Amino acid sequence: MRNILLAFLVFSFNSCEWESSTTANNNFAKTLSEDQVINKTMNEFIGEPTNQNEMDKNLILNHIIDNKLDMESTPDGIYYQITKEGIGNHPTMKNTIITNYHGTFLDGKVFDSTIDKKPFTYPLNRMNDGWKKAIPLMKSGGKAIFIIPSRLCYGEEGFGDLIPPNTVLKFEVELIGIKGTK
């Protein structure tokens, strides 16, 4: 059974024309054994993906397996792991968020990061759809990992030379604070 599943995963992954590698910055993620991850994700794979959403899902699941991550998913297809519980309230669309984040592609290549920089402060309602849905899962002072499908970030258009079209993005986020309403 395991060999069949692994063959299926290789087929699914290769049909998406992406290469897999482990994430270099996986230092605060909760991990599972390979068997635990496969058991948790095996029913979620799409055998023959027919659209970008299905390809993104398989890419995300392969990344989770490769890195043995213990992640949950939202109905929108965002995979996440709260690695440190915060305190207080969850941010809403009326709040401005203050974060440190580290954004990578699934191959670990960094495309943006506030590490060693000033924290990022921005109204949540002006963020991309992925952040609008993911950040409210956190509380102030919390940390999380989010893997966001391309349609909820920059979709078919990408973002200039920085982010190619149809790219799944991974963020390690620390929600430093939440400012009032705007």
Side-chain angles (χ1 to χ4, degrees), residues 13 17 20 22 25 32 41 53 70-71 73 76 90 93 100-101 107 109 112 130 147 149 161 163 171 177:
F13 196 63
E17 299 182 42
S20 171
T22 58
N25 196 2
L32 299 172
T41 60
N53 293 335
D70 184 12
M71 302 193 92
S73 65
D76 297 305
H90 296 273
M93 289 304 123
N100 277 322
Y101 68 89
D107 67 2
K109 181 180 176 190
D112 195 15
I147 304 177
D161 292 335
I163 299 173
F171 295 92

Side-chain angles (χ1 to χ4, degrees), residues 4-39:
I4 293 170
L5 177 61
L6 290 174
F8 169 74
L9 297 176
V10 168
F11 169 77
S12 297
F13 196 63
N14 288 337
S15 68
C16 294
E17 299 182 42
W18 287 77
E19 290 184 19
S20 171
S21 70
T22 58
T23 300
N25 196 2
N26 206 14
N27 54 350
F28 65 91
K30 298 174 197 162
T31 60
L32 299 172
S33 72
E34 183 177 353
D35 287 339
Q36 288 171 315
V37 159
I38 289 172
N39 288 336

